[in-house]
Amino acid sequence: MEFDQINKTAVTDPAKRPNLEDYASIRANFDWWRDAFEKMDWLAGGGLNNAYEAVDRHVAHGHGDKLAMIWLGKNGEEERYTYAEFKHESDRFGAVMQNLGIGLGDRVFIFMDRLPELYIAAMGILKAGGVIAPLFSAFGPDPVRDRMLDAGAKYLVTSPDLRAKISEMLPDIKTLKNVIIVNKDGRSDDPPVEGDLDYYELMSAADPDSFTMAETTQYDFAIMHYTSGSTGKPKGVLHRHQAVIQQWITGHWALDFKFDDVYFCTADPGWVTGTSYGMMAPWTNGVTQIIYEGGFSASGWYKVIQDYDVTVWYTAPTAVRLLMRAGGDVVDQYDMSSLRFIGSVGEPLNPEAVVWGNRHFNMPIHDNWWQTETGAIMCANYPSMAVRPGSMGRPFPGITMGVLDDQFNEMAPGSAGSLAVRPGWPSMMYTYWQQDEMYNSRFKKGWYITGDQASIDEDGYFWFQGRADDVINTAGHLVGPFEVESALIEHEAVAEAGVIGKPDPIAMEVVKAFVTLNPGHEAGPQLRRELMRFARDRLSAGVAPREIDFIDIMPKTRSGKIMRRLLKARELGLPEGDTSTLEDD
Ligand code: AMP
């Protein structure tokens, strides 16, 4: 490790000073109502609509000419939309939905690639009072069917190729009223399916000027995301319009959005990061967002940052590890000097990745923590604070987090336990769709139990240990897979590591690691021995892996999380459980 703490250099340009300059005093004096709720415009009559706050508000405030979105298509296309155009087009789609008879709270599934129409449709549906449920476009028919059935989907917006992929199962969705097809630029020559509606025809027949926004309140449902548990079917997490308040203020303080920022979020809208921080947070803060249709590509991403002068970049550890694997020399071929802030979420950010980022981007990557259920960032490394590599930072102003023991009592700093949050934050999920019992089971002794394990240090920084399900008990020591994985990826041969507890008659569990290798390194007994020695030197002998297997592909979710439970099931020959979110590359 090059350093234990990455200190900030003083920012002299006042325009670049962090929005949250003095964490301690802002936290001490923070008031949700005064500092956040009152900063929204609200609707006449006291309602709240997240799409209004994200789009229309900027037009009402005289910023209609500002760019809201620059779309970069996978075939080299580019489209630009100002906030005024975005309002106009989303009003038009709102009118389309009203013409189709949408009612307050109707679930509209969006199953498509990152096209401008996805965002226009999403904002239009929200303004018309619908609930958006975006899905990963890489899903096959079964996960789409399960989710649409569970939610009682009423409308589906999709593209011809994706429609073809799920056609056979669509008749199963008895609640489905209309399928709207977006055949962007005539990409598909297939004849339309009878009964489907054409997005562009509907749009030209609709009148945006006659559209009237639904009278949504802060308590109305807005967004639904399915998260998969380790067992059972995925659960539909339901968020309300109110969530936008925290998405806005976390964008302002944790991602440090400034009005003239150009922002690049690499998350897919099928994952909560792709809506909370790929729609709501950036647009409520009035920034220009890059929508990149293509998938992961180190040089493709760097080129976007260079050519579009991206200032704020929000990505995930899995992507950072892939960038590391592609090599620092690739970054160095591009001009990254426009960047002012890099954030990461979704998994623990290995200290090695923070150090690598600092070396190649000239700034640390800032880890922050939250989950689908929390709807917005809860804990973060802020631009004004020193980064402690491996830590997920400190709780957001207005948020109380704690580490609890088995009896759900708060523990002193230094001990690892269950990570919990005091309920009542604005972007808290409303429920799991039709699973109230499961929702209620997440609350104990006045805390929301996150399902993660963590510890706090003396200065109030939180350190992630692992999902509660993934923590390993070896000879009485509780070992978080993250610390073992982080140690392994410090070795130059290792690209990614996934660590599990393997049942053992004596130690209860032993630590077993699965690793993928960087190009130019060969799997074999010699490298295995070397990695074991390397891990033992960094960790204690009890914590270092007892077994290491080389694998070609690390099983991950589509949001980039290592699926340790799958590694474990495969190791033990057990059923794999729900694998609908497994990435298949
Ligand atoms: P999801 O709801 O799919 O976004 O997953 C949320 C889970 O991802 C959390 O409960 C954590 O287990 C993990 N996670 C998200 N962000 C972080 C982070 N910064 N550090 C460690 N784990 C994280």
Side-chain angles (χ1 to χ4, degrees):
M1 180 72 50
E2 277 171 33
F3 22 58
D4 295 331
Q5 177 166 312
I6 297 183
N7 287 304
K8 305 289 177 166
T9 40
V11 179
T12 43
D13 178 353
K16 292 189 176 167
R17 295 249 291 269
N19 295 335
L20 182 99
E21 276 205 276
D22 184 347
Y23 172 79
S25 97
I26 287 190
R27 186 169 168 76
N29 298 304
F30 184 76
D31 178 86
W32 274 115
W33 184 253
R34 184 198 60 216
D35 298 325
F37 280 69
E38 281 196 346
K39 298 286 166 64
M40 296 289 103
D41 273 13
W42 299 81
L43 300 177
L48 185 75
N49 185 285
N50 57 0
Y52 178 88
E53 301 296 337
V55 183
D56 299 24
R57 177 162 80 119
H58 304 297
V59 181
H61 289 249
H63 302 298
D65 290 342
K66 218 190 142 198
L67 273 183
M69 151 161 80
I70 304 177
W71 174 69
L72 306 176
K74 65 179 177 201
N75 304 319
E77 310 96 313
E78 184 188 300
E79 287 179 12
R80 292 173 178 240
Y81 294 82
T82 62
Y83 276 95
E85 288 162 340
F86 198 12
K87 173 183 181 314
H88 197 73
E89 291 302 290
S90 53
D91 280 356
R92 196 188 279 280
F93 195 75
V96 165
M97 293 310 297
Q98 285 177 339
N99 293 343
L100 294 176
I102 192 171
L104 192 70
D106 282 350
R107 274 80 60 212
V108 186
F109 276 69
I110 306 180
F111 181 48
M112 60 198 283
D113 288 325
R114 274 176 256 183
L115 301 176
E117 287 77 358
L118 184 160
Y119 298 87
I120 290 165
M123 295 299 141
I125 294 161
L126 290 165
K127 288 191 210 173
V131 175
I132 58 166
L135 298 177
F136 289 104
S137 58
F139 272 163
D142 289 351
V144 178
R145 178 179 180 277
D146 289 348
R147 288 158 176 76
M148 289 182 72
L149 267 183
D150 184 69
K154 195 143 176 205
Y155 303 92
L156 170 68
V157 187
T158 186
S159 56
D161 51 323
L162 297 176
R163 202 261 185 238
K165 185 160 76 164
I166 59 167
S167 277
E168 280 194 8
M169 71 79 188
L170 275 184
D172 296 351
I173 319 295
K174 304 288 182 227
T175 50
L176 191 63
K177 200 170 149 210
N178 296 117
V179 178
I180 301 170
I181 301 290
V182 181
N183 187 7
K184 177 135 187 103
D185 302 328
R187 284 181 181 187
S188 164
D189 297 331
D190 294 344
V193 176
E194 210 190 313
D196 285 0
L197 304 173
D198 179 77
Y199 173 92
Y200 300 101
E201 279 174 20
L202 292 171
M203 285 293 263
S204 42
D207 174 13
D209 298 325
S210 68
F211 171 71
T212 11
M213 175 134 2
E215 290 175 4
T216 50
T217 75
Q218 56 179 324
Y219 305 115
D220 284 315
F221 303 151
I223 302 185
M224 212 171 161
H225 276 289
Y226 277 82
T227 67
S228 32
S230 40
T231 52
K233 293 271 184 209
K235 315 176 278 293
V237 175
L238 204 54
H239 283 290
R240 303 181 296 181
H241 283 272
Q242 192 186 69
V244 75
I245 288 160
Q246 192 171 337
Q247 289 154 354
W248 165 72
I249 199 169
T250 49
H252 184 63
W253 279 340
L255 298 188
D256 200 39
F257 286 140
K258 301 186 194 304
F259 197 63
D260 54 3
D261 271 329
V262 178
Y263 169 66
F264 181 28
C265 172
T266 60
D268 190 285
W271 177 31
V272 68
T273 306
T275 57
S276 296
Y277 296 93
M279 297 182 188
M280 293 306 161
W283 285 324
T284 48
N285 279 279
V287 307
T288 299
Q289 183 167 213
I290 305 284
I291 307 287
Y292 182 77
E293 190 190 1
F296 173 85
S297 150
S299 49
W301 285 10
Y302 297 144
K303 195 162 164 20
V304 168
I305 293 170
Q306 168 186 276
D307 293 355
Y308 292 87
D309 290 325
V310 170
T311 49
V312 179
W313 180 23
Y314 196 28
T315 189
T318 183
V320 177
R321 289 191 301 262
L322 288 173
L323 295 173
M324 290 167 73
R325 185 177 180 162
D329 49 330
V330 185
V331 194
D332 300 342
Q333 290 161 20
Y334 294 87
D335 179 3
M336 299 281 104
S337 60
S338 58
L339 281 173
R340 190 186 75 249
F341 183 80
I342 312 176
S344 161
V345 69
E347 273 195 308
L349 186 64
N350 313 86
E352 179 70 6
V354 181
V355 171
W356 184 86
N358 207 48
R359 194 179 306 139
H360 292 285
F361 302 112
N362 230 352
M363 72 191 70
I365 301 174
H366 296 74
D367 187 17
N368 52 58
W369 178 95
W370 58 291
Q371 47 182 203
T372 308
E373 289 86 341
T374 70
I377 292 172
M378 304 297 275
C379 183
N381 286 284
Y382 305 92
S384 56
M385 278 172 17
V387 170
R388 297 185 180 179
S391 159
M392 55 204 207
R394 296 165 79 182
F396 196 79
I399 300 293
T400 305
M401 293 172 61
V403 171
L404 313 184
D405 64 18
D406 293 350
Q407 302 304 310
F408 308 107
N409 296 316
E410 222 173 332
M411 296 165 91
S415 323
S418 169
L419 179 66
V421 188
R422 284 277 184 219
W425 66 94
S427 63
M428 182 169 136
M429 68 165 158
Y430 177 72
T431 192
Y432 293 118
W433 180 254
Q434 292 178 340
Q435 297 201 46
D436 288 346
E437 220 171 286
M438 168 86 78
Y439 172 81
N440 291 333
S441 73
R442 301 294 296 262
F443 297 88
K444 306 279 181 205
K445 289 196 180 164
W447 291 95
Y448 163 73
I449 308 298
T450 67
D452 287 346
Q453 298 272 313
S455 63
I456 317 179
D457 68 19
E458 292 291 346
D459 300 317
Y461 282 74
F462 279 71
W463 298 78
F464 182 84
Q465 307 284 323
R467 296 284 310 161
D469 305 342
D470 292 336
V471 169
I472 303 161
N473 187 341
T474 181
H477 295 293
L478 290 183
V479 178
F482 172 51
E483 59 169 318
V484 183
E485 291 161 7
S486 291
L488 284 167
I489 73 160
E490 280 185 50
H491 191 283
E492 56 171 10
V494 178
E496 293 199 281
V499 165
I500 61 160
K502 181 176 170 182
D504 180 84
I506 298 167
M508 186 150 146
E509 288 184 310
V510 291
V511 177
K512 169 149 192 176
F514 297 83
V515 297
T516 60
L517 297 180
N518 280 320
H521 296 272
E522 208 164 295
Q526 197 187 335
L527 181 58
R528 179 179 288 116
R529 273 195 303 277
E530 189 182 317
L531 290 178
M532 292 210 178
R533 208 171 321 118
F534 183 84
R536 258 199 316 273
D537 288 349
R538 275 162 181 73
L539 307 159
S540 68
V543 173
R546 189 84 68 80
E547 290 177 31
I548 297 181
D549 276 5
F550 298 102
I551 54 175
D552 293 332
I553 294 171
M554 188 61 66
K556 275 185 263 171
T557 64
R558 296 195 184 284
S559 59
K561 293 184 211 307
I562 295 173
M563 292 181 86
R564 297 180 190 81
R565 69 173 174 83
L566 202 62
L567 288 170
K568 190 161 180 170
R570 287 176 181 171
E571 171 71 21
L572 304 179
L574 297 172
E576 296 194 347
D578 172 41
T579 52
S580 59
T581 55
L582 179 67
E583 186 186 62
D584 40 11
D585 51 359

